[in-house]
Amino acid sequence: MIFPGFDAGAELLNGGGEMLVQYAPESAPVSSISLNLESLSLLEGESATLAATILPEDAYNKNVCWTSDNPNVAAVDSKGKITGVTAGSTTIWATTEQESKKASCSVTVESKIYPVADVSLDKSSITLTEGGTAQLTATVLPENASNKNLRWESTNTGVATVSNGKVTAVKKGSAKIRVITEDGNKTAECDVTVKLKTVNGGFEGIGEEEW
């Protein structure tokens, strides 16, 4: 006869009339749990897997429950695989099913960087009269680029100036308006031609012999 917790190798004595039963040592309860990492940094969308070590080695129930304090920042599955969701910080917990021993890992998720690939302007050339204005619109690609900051400049501020894409004609001449991305220094240009402002059917600032 085999009894729970008894040694299955019990011997029959005295021709089988008596049984010698030996107790077998039972498996030990969980005493501690630890993780291979105390902290972890991930980018959005990246994953990493934590490994749990449970002591003693012969613990009879090594099941672990994995949880995240903030699954909107980092989620964890039943195998300890962590996935970064959005930028922020949270703590991942591993809790033993038996004895409820705990271990934790601090997780920081950083925004994934999407570099600028290109920039373009809605106009390649414009013509203005002195004092006139026009608005240029820049499009940065990809749409989810992390840094869409722009710098605007004119190759001849005596002819035309620019501020946040708004071009102002100063005096007759030509210039190029250039937009430059902060990330990657991508550029796009628009040719600007400025004409004299007309007054009473003529041109301001010149005599008849000049036109």
Side-chain angles (χ1 to χ4, degrees):
M1 179 178 294
I2 301 174
F3 297 93
F6 294 173
D7 188 352
E11 299 178 2
L12 294 177
L13 301 180
N14 300 326
E18 296 180 8
M19 177 179 287
L20 174 64
V21 179
Q22 296 178 336
Y23 284 91
E26 293 185 355
S27 297
V30 171
S31 61
S32 68
I33 182 174
S34 61
L35 298 177
N36 58 321
L37 295 174
E38 294 183 353
S39 62
L40 177 66
S41 293
L42 295 172
L43 293 176
E44 293 172 341
E46 281 190 335
S47 296
T49 300
L50 294 176
T53 299
I54 295 174
L55 294 177
E57 292 184 1
D58 62 344
Y60 58 85
N61 183 344
K62 291 189 175 184
N63 293 337
V64 175
C65 176
W66 297 88
T67 57
S68 170
D69 279 350
N70 190 345
N72 292 323
V73 171
V76 62
D77 68 10
S78 61
K79 302 297 183 181
K81 181 180 178 180
I82 303 169
T83 301
V85 179
T86 190
S89 298
T90 189
T91 300
I92 301 298
W93 292 92
T95 306
T96 62
E97 186 175 275
Q98 197 260 328
E99 301 295 338
S100 297
K101 302 297 182 180
K102 295 179 179 291
S104 65
C105 176
S106 299
V107 177
T108 300
V109 179
E110 299 176 353
S111 297
K112 189 171 183 178
I113 298 175
Y114 297 91
V116 170
D118 192 23
V119 64
S120 61
L121 292 172
D122 59 332
K123 300 178 182 70
S124 60
S125 64
I126 54 176
T127 299
L128 299 170
T129 57
E130 293 175 336
T133 63
Q135 182 66 46
L136 295 176
T137 300
T139 300
V140 177
L141 294 177
E143 292 184 1
N144 63 344
S146 300
N147 182 351
K148 291 188 175 184
N149 292 337
L150 301 172
R151 184 175 79 255
W152 295 85
E153 62 183 30
S154 170
T155 59
N156 191 342
T157 55
V159 171
T161 61
V162 63
S163 176
N164 293 324
K166 183 180 180 180
V167 181
T168 301
V170 179
K171 70 176 183 180
K172 180 182 178 181
S174 61
K176 288 182 182 294
I177 299 300
R178 184 177 295 123
V179 63
I180 305 101
T181 63
E182 185 174 89
D183 174 26
N185 291 318
K186 306 296 182 180
T187 63
E189 293 181 342
C190 175
D191 294 319
V192 178
T193 300
V194 178
K195 295 183 176 181
L196 288 173
K197 187 176 182 179
T198 60
V199 177
N200 297 326
F203 292 92
E204 182 178 23
I206 61 174
E208 291 185 5
E209 69 276 9
E210 296 179 272
W211 57 278

